[in-house]
Amino acid sequence: MIIVYIILACLGLTFILKYGTIFDKPRAFVCKYKFLNDLFKCSLCLGFWSGVIVGVFCFYTELLDDKVFLLPLVSSACCWILDNLNNVIQSIEIKLDNDNK
């Protein structure tokens, strides 16, 4: 069950870094650099690095043992799937709003 919480932590970190309004100013400053700008535009990439960060934390706190090396890959896949699902839902919402006008 702990693995579900850890994956949700990776998802939360990715979505906060990518979309959180509290990080608008730091994100604008960091995204001046091309590499970091590309990173913050890609949920697959940002999800991977979020998995690395959470994985390092889990390794040192011994929350995960042998599965810690797969966490960045699982995080990357989950973040990409949920980000794309979010985009589809938002597109449907916009289309419905435009149809009602």
Side-chain angles (χ1 to χ4, degrees):
M1 187 65 179
I2 189 75
I3 190 71
V4 174
Y5 293 121
I6 292 171
I7 293 170
L8 287 173
C10 294
L11 288 166
L13 179 60
T14 299
F15 277 74
I16 288 171
L17 289 173
K18 190 170 181 183
Y19 300 116
T21 56
I22 196 166
F23 287 115
D24 282 346
K25 288 183 182 180
R27 187 173 37 248
F29 175 75
V30 168
C31 287
K32 291 179 183 177
Y33 304 100
K34 182 176 175 7
F35 170 75
L36 293 174
N37 187 35
D38 292 343
L39 176 70
F40 276 83
K41 286 183 180 178
C42 176
S43 60
L44 192 70
C45 305
L46 195 57
F48 176 84
W49 289 106
S50 294
V52 169
I53 292 167
V54 173
V56 168
F57 174 78
C58 289
F59 181 75
Y60 284 110
T61 58
E62 299 178 0
L63 288 174
L64 290 177
D65 46 7
D66 58 338
K67 298 175 191 81
V68 73
F69 299 107
L70 295 176
L71 185 62
L73 302 175
V74 173
S75 172
S76 179
C78 290
C79 290
W80 181 79
I81 289 168
L82 286 178
D83 193 36
N84 283 314
L85 181 63
N86 184 42
N87 290 339
V88 168
I89 291 169
Q90 286 179 340
S91 296
I92 292 170
E93 179 185 20
I94 290 169
K95 183 179 182 335
L96 290 174
D97 284 346
N98 289 338
D99 290 346
N100 288 337
K101 289 182 180 180

